[in-house]
Amino acid sequence: MLFLLNAVVVRVPLKLELPRGLEPLVSAPPGSVLTAGVELYAKHPRLEYDRLDIARWYCCLLQLRFPDAGAARFRPTPRGYVGELANVALPNLVQLLSLQDRGVSIAPQVDEIWARVSQPA
């Protein structure tokens, strides 16, 4: 499975294996799972780069609790981090991963994804 975390496509394990003590997140309300990401980013602002181990299980948890989302973004604000979700289809994630693996910047495509989320309805 694949998931876009901020601006990095993460390969997600098929089976969720949470660190000891975090098992209640599996049955937590979706909003609590998103809040957990806010807390993770407060501790690890470059989570998807510096703590890929955590990023993988967290993306797996996001996929479990938000099955229609293919992406999450956590961005800093003056009041702390804010989490957002986006629907990104698997074929698009595969294309982004292919570019990423070849060392091609996926920034323009990622910016477009998050611009769509940020537009008022």
Side-chain angles (χ1 to χ4, degrees), residues 3-23:
F3 198 86
L4 178 65
L5 186 58
N6 285 347
V8 174
V9 179
V10 176
R11 288 179 175 90
V12 180
L14 293 176
K15 182 181 176 198
L16 177 60
E17 293 185 21
L18 291 172
R20 183 179 224 144
L22 296 181
E23 296 87 356

PDB file of all heavy atoms in Angstrom, residues 3-23:
ATOM      1  N   PHE A   3       0.864   5.702   0.645  1.00  0.00           N
ATOM      2  CA  PHE A   3       0.190   6.832   1.270  1.00  0.00           C
ATOM      3  C   PHE A   3       1.089   8.044   1.136  1.00  0.00           C
ATOM      4  O   PHE A   3       2.303   7.949   1.343  1.00  0.00           O
ATOM      5  CB  PHE A   3      -0.075   6.538   2.754  1.00  0.00           C
ATOM      6  CG  PHE A   3      -1.115   7.414   3.374  1.00  0.00           C
ATOM      7  CD1 PHE A   3      -2.459   7.091   3.295  1.00  0.00           C
ATOM      8  CD2 PHE A   3      -0.750   8.571   4.049  1.00  0.00           C
ATOM      9  CE1 PHE A   3      -3.420   7.899   3.878  1.00  0.00           C
ATOM     10  CE2 PHE A   3      -1.708   9.384   4.632  1.00  0.00           C
ATOM     11  CZ  PHE A   3      -3.055   9.043   4.547  1.00  0.00           C
ATOM     12  N   LEU A   4       0.510   9.171   0.768  1.00  0.00           N
ATOM     13  CA  LEU A   4       1.264  10.410   0.661  1.00  0.00           C
ATOM     14  C   LEU A   4       1.225  11.114   2.008  1.00  0.00           C
ATOM     15  O   LEU A   4       0.155  11.493   2.487  1.00  0.00           O
ATOM     16  CB  LEU A   4       0.664  11.310  -0.422  1.00  0.00           C
ATOM     17  CG  LEU A   4       1.324  12.666  -0.609  1.00  0.00           C
ATOM     18  CD1 LEU A   4       2.762  12.525  -1.114  1.00  0.00           C
ATOM     19  CD2 LEU A   4       0.510  13.522  -1.576  1.00  0.00           C
ATOM     20  N   LEU A   5       2.373  11.241   2.635  1.00  0.00           N
ATOM     21  CA  LEU A   5       2.490  11.926   3.917  1.00  0.00           C
ATOM     22  C   LEU A   5       3.259  13.208   3.681  1.00  0.00           C
ATOM     23  O   LEU A   5       4.449  13.178   3.358  1.00  0.00           O
ATOM     24  CB  LEU A   5       3.192  11.035   4.943  1.00  0.00           C
ATOM     25  CG  LEU A   5       3.253  11.555   6.373  1.00  0.00           C
ATOM     26  CD1 LEU A   5       1.850  11.821   6.926  1.00  0.00           C
ATOM     27  CD2 LEU A   5       3.983  10.560   7.270  1.00  0.00           C
ATOM     28  N   ASN A   6       2.550  14.325   3.797  1.00  0.00           N
ATOM     29  CA  ASN A   6       3.083  15.647   3.449  1.00  0.00           C
ATOM     30  C   ASN A   6       3.526  15.628   1.996  1.00  0.00           C
ATOM     31  O   ASN A   6       2.703  15.718   1.116  1.00  0.00           O
ATOM     32  CB  ASN A   6       4.169  16.098   4.412  1.00  0.00           C
ATOM     33  CG  ASN A   6       3.599  16.535   5.747  1.00  0.00           C
ATOM     34  OD1 ASN A   6       2.403  16.723   5.888  1.00  0.00           O
ATOM     35  ND2 ASN A   6       4.447  16.711   6.728  1.00  0.00           N
ATOM     36  N   ALA A   7       4.804  15.493   1.718  1.00  0.00           N
ATOM     37  CA  ALA A   7       5.278  15.518   0.334  1.00  0.00           C
ATOM     38  C   ALA A   7       6.102  14.286  -0.009  1.00  0.00           C
ATOM     39  O   ALA A   7       6.910  14.311  -0.927  1.00  0.00           O
ATOM     40  CB  ALA A   7       6.099  16.780   0.083  1.00  0.00           C
ATOM     41  N   VAL A   8       5.873  13.191   0.724  1.00  0.00           N
ATOM     42  CA  VAL A   8       6.629  11.959   0.511  1.00  0.00           C
ATOM     43  C   VAL A   8       5.648  10.793   0.395  1.00  0.00           C
ATOM     44  O   VAL A   8       4.768  10.633   1.243  1.00  0.00           O
ATOM     45  CB  VAL A   8       7.609  11.703   1.681  1.00  0.00           C
ATOM     46  CG1 VAL A   8       8.297  10.357   1.533  1.00  0.00           C
ATOM     47  CG2 VAL A   8       8.632  12.821   1.786  1.00  0.00           C
ATOM     48  N   VAL A   9       5.807   9.990  -0.644  1.00  0.00           N
ATOM     49  CA  VAL A   9       5.014   8.775  -0.763  1.00  0.00           C
ATOM     50  C   VAL A   9       5.688   7.715   0.106  1.00  0.00           C
ATOM     51  O   VAL A   9       6.876   7.420  -0.046  1.00  0.00           O
ATOM     52  CB  VAL A   9       4.905   8.291  -2.220  1.00  0.00           C
ATOM     53  CG1 VAL A   9       4.087   7.008  -2.286  1.00  0.00           C
ATOM     54  CG2 VAL A   9       4.282   9.368  -3.097  1.00  0.00           C
ATOM     55  N   VAL A  10       4.906   7.179   1.030  1.00  0.00           N
ATOM     56  CA  VAL A  10       5.410   6.194   1.994  1.00  0.00           C
ATOM     57  C   VAL A  10       4.852   4.827   1.624  1.00  0.00           C
ATOM     58  O   VAL A  10       3.660   4.683   1.353  1.00  0.00           O
ATOM     59  CB  VAL A  10       4.967   6.577   3.429  1.00  0.00           C
ATOM     60  CG1 VAL A  10       5.386   5.526   4.432  1.00  0.00           C
ATOM     61  CG2 VAL A  10       5.509   7.950   3.809  1.00  0.00           C
ATOM     62  N   ARG A  11       5.730   3.843   1.623  1.00  0.00           N
ATOM     63  CA  ARG A  11       5.281   2.449   1.454  1.00  0.00           C
ATOM     64  C   ARG A  11       4.750   1.994   2.808  1.00  0.00           C
ATOM     65  O   ARG A  11       5.467   2.015   3.801  1.00  0.00           O
ATOM     66  CB  ARG A  11       6.435   1.569   1.005  1.00  0.00           C
ATOM     67  CG  ARG A  11       6.855   1.818  -0.417  1.00  0.00           C
ATOM     68  CD  ARG A  11       8.045   0.918  -0.785  1.00  0.00           C
ATOM     69  NE  ARG A  11       8.405   1.051  -2.163  1.00  0.00           N
ATOM     70  CZ  ARG A  11       9.290   1.922  -2.648  1.00  0.00           C
ATOM     71  NH1 ARG A  11       9.912   2.755  -1.838  1.00  0.00           N
ATOM     72  NH2 ARG A  11       9.556   1.973  -3.937  1.00  0.00           N
ATOM     73  N   VAL A  12       3.495   1.570   2.809  1.00  0.00           N
ATOM     74  CA  VAL A  12       2.803   1.251   4.055  1.00  0.00           C
ATOM     75  C   VAL A  12       2.689  -0.262   4.199  1.00  0.00           C
ATOM     76  O   VAL A  12       2.331  -0.953   3.243  1.00  0.00           O
ATOM     77  CB  VAL A  12       1.395   1.894   4.038  1.00  0.00           C
ATOM     78  CG1 VAL A  12       0.637   1.596   5.308  1.00  0.00           C
ATOM     79  CG2 VAL A  12       1.509   3.392   3.811  1.00  0.00           C
ATOM     80  N   PRO A  13       2.963  -0.782   5.396  1.00  0.00           N
ATOM     81  CA  PRO A  13       2.807  -2.224   5.599  1.00  0.00           C
ATOM     82  C   PRO A  13       1.341  -2.632   5.465  1.00  0.00           C
ATOM     83  O   PRO A  13       0.432  -1.827   5.725  1.00  0.00           O
ATOM     84  CB  PRO A  13       3.314  -2.446   7.025  1.00  0.00           C
ATOM     85  CG  PRO A  13       3.281  -1.124   7.682  1.00  0.00           C
ATOM     86  CD  PRO A  13       3.390  -0.092   6.604  1.00  0.00           C
ATOM     87  N   LEU A  14       1.121  -3.860   5.051  1.00  0.00           N
ATOM     88  CA  LEU A  14      -0.247  -4.353   4.894  1.00  0.00           C
ATOM     89  C   LEU A  14      -0.914  -4.609   6.239  1.00  0.00           C
ATOM     90  O   LEU A  14      -2.129  -4.560   6.365  1.00  0.00           O
ATOM     91  CB  LEU A  14      -0.258  -5.632   4.064  1.00  0.00           C
ATOM     92  CG  LEU A  14       0.157  -5.456   2.602  1.00  0.00           C
ATOM     93  CD1 LEU A  14       0.199  -6.801   1.895  1.00  0.00           C
ATOM     94  CD2 LEU A  14      -0.780  -4.504   1.881  1.00  0.00           C
ATOM     95  N   LYS A  15      -0.105  -4.895   7.246  1.00  0.00           N
ATOM     96  CA  LYS A  15      -0.637  -5.196   8.573  1.00  0.00           C
ATOM     97  C   LYS A  15      -0.179  -4.117   9.551  1.00  0.00           C
ATOM     98  O   LYS A  15       0.999  -3.770   9.599  1.00  0.00           O
ATOM     99  CB  LYS A  15      -0.145  -6.562   9.042  1.00  0.00           C
ATOM    100  CG  LYS A  15      -0.678  -6.964  10.388  1.00  0.00           C
ATOM    101  CD  LYS A  15      -0.153  -8.306  10.812  1.00  0.00           C
ATOM    102  CE  LYS A  15      -0.645  -8.629  12.207  1.00  0.00           C
ATOM    103  NZ  LYS A  15       0.140  -9.664  12.829  1.00  0.00           N
ATOM    104  N   LEU A  16      -1.123  -3.604  10.312  1.00  0.00           N
ATOM    105  CA  LEU A  16      -0.821  -2.568  11.285  1.00  0.00           C
ATOM    106  C   LEU A  16      -0.173  -3.180  12.518  1.00  0.00           C
ATOM    107  O   LEU A  16      -0.740  -4.078  13.134  1.00  0.00           O
ATOM    108  CB  LEU A  16      -2.099  -1.822  11.687  1.00  0.00           C
ATOM    109  CG  LEU A  16      -1.949  -0.748  12.747  1.00  0.00           C
ATOM    110  CD1 LEU A  16      -0.991   0.349  12.283  1.00  0.00           C
ATOM    111  CD2 LEU A  16      -3.305  -0.157  13.084  1.00  0.00           C
ATOM    112  N   GLU A  17       1.014  -2.720  12.834  1.00  0.00           N
ATOM    113  CA  GLU A  17       1.704  -3.142  14.048  1.00  0.00           C
ATOM    114  C   GLU A  17       2.114  -1.892  14.816  1.00  0.00           C
ATOM    115  O   GLU A  17       3.140  -1.288  14.530  1.00  0.00           O
ATOM    116  CB  GLU A  17       2.912  -4.007  13.701  1.00  0.00           C
ATOM    117  CG  GLU A  17       2.516  -5.334  13.090  1.00  0.00           C
ATOM    118  CD  GLU A  17       3.700  -6.261  12.845  1.00  0.00           C
ATOM    119  OE1 GLU A  17       4.747  -6.083  13.481  1.00  0.00           O
ATOM    120  OE2 GLU A  17       3.547  -7.155  12.013  1.00  0.00           O
ATOM    121  N   LEU A  18       1.262  -1.526  15.767  1.00  0.00           N
ATOM    122  CA  LEU A  18       1.521  -0.336  16.561  1.00  0.00           C
ATOM    123  C   LEU A  18       2.528  -0.626  17.665  1.00  0.00           C
ATOM    124  O   LEU A  18       2.587  -1.744  18.182  1.00  0.00           O
ATOM    125  CB  LEU A  18       0.215   0.156  17.203  1.00  0.00           C
ATOM    126  CG  LEU A  18      -0.815   0.734  16.259  1.00  0.00           C
ATOM    127  CD1 LEU A  18      -2.120   0.989  16.997  1.00  0.00           C
ATOM    128  CD2 LEU A  18      -0.306   2.019  15.648  1.00  0.00           C
ATOM    129  N   PRO A  19       3.299   0.381  18.048  1.00  0.00           N
ATOM    130  CA  PRO A  19       4.182   0.214  19.199  1.00  0.00           C
ATOM    131  C   PRO A  19       3.357  -0.095  20.454  1.00  0.00           C
ATOM    132  O   PRO A  19       2.194   0.331  20.565  1.00  0.00           O
ATOM    133  CB  PRO A  19       4.886   1.569  19.318  1.00  0.00           C
ATOM    134  CG  PRO A  19       4.779   2.173  17.964  1.00  0.00           C
ATOM    135  CD  PRO A  19       3.484   1.672  17.405  1.00  0.00           C
ATOM    136  N   ARG A  20       3.967  -0.798  21.366  1.00  0.00           N
ATOM    137  CA  ARG A  20       3.304  -1.183  22.611  1.00  0.00           C
ATOM    138  C   ARG A  20       2.714   0.057  23.296  1.00  0.00           C
ATOM    139  O   ARG A  20       3.349   1.090  23.384  1.00  0.00           O
ATOM    140  CB  ARG A  20       4.313  -1.850  23.524  1.00  0.00           C
ATOM    141  CG  ARG A  20       3.720  -2.333  24.795  1.00  0.00           C
ATOM    142  CD  ARG A  20       4.761  -2.994  25.649  1.00  0.00           C
ATOM    143  NE  ARG A  20       4.138  -4.200  26.166  1.00  0.00           N
ATOM    144  CZ  ARG A  20       4.738  -5.330  26.365  1.00  0.00           C
ATOM    145  NH1 ARG A  20       6.006  -5.467  26.087  1.00  0.00           N
ATOM    146  NH2 ARG A  20       4.091  -6.350  26.862  1.00  0.00           N
ATOM    147  N   GLY A  21       1.483  -0.078  23.729  1.00  0.00           N
ATOM    148  CA  GLY A  21       0.797   1.000  24.422  1.00  0.00           C
ATOM    149  C   GLY A  21      -0.074   1.853  23.528  1.00  0.00           C
ATOM    150  O   GLY A  21      -0.913   2.611  24.021  1.00  0.00           O
ATOM    151  N   LEU A  22       0.109   1.748  22.217  1.00  0.00           N
ATOM    152  CA  LEU A  22      -0.682   2.560  21.299  1.00  0.00           C
ATOM    153  C   LEU A  22      -1.838   1.780  20.654  1.00  0.00           C
ATOM    154  O   LEU A  22      -2.542   2.308  19.804  1.00  0.00           O
ATOM    155  CB  LEU A  22       0.205   3.148  20.208  1.00  0.00           C
ATOM    156  CG  LEU A  22       1.275   4.133  20.678  1.00  0.00           C
ATOM    157  CD1 LEU A  22       2.078   4.655  19.493  1.00  0.00           C
ATOM    158  CD2 LEU A  22       0.667   5.277  21.464  1.00  0.00           C
ATOM    159  N   GLU A  23      -2.038   0.554  21.078  1.00  0.00           N
ATOM    160  CA  GLU A  23      -3.093  -0.283  20.498  1.00  0.00           C
ATOM    161  C   GLU A  23      -4.478   0.357  20.541  1.00  0.00           C
ATOM    162  O   GLU A  23      -5.269   0.166  19.615  1.00  0.00           O
ATOM    163  CB  GLU A  23      -3.136  -1.658  21.195  1.00  0.00           C
ATOM    164  CG  GLU A  23      -1.901  -2.495  21.003  1.00  0.00           C
ATOM    165  CD  GLU A  23      -0.802  -2.222  22.047  1.00  0.00           C
ATOM    166  OE1 GLU A  23      -0.967  -1.315  22.886  1.00  0.00           O
ATOM    167  OE2 GLU A  23       0.216  -2.925  22.003  1.00  0.00           O
TER     168      GLU A  23
END
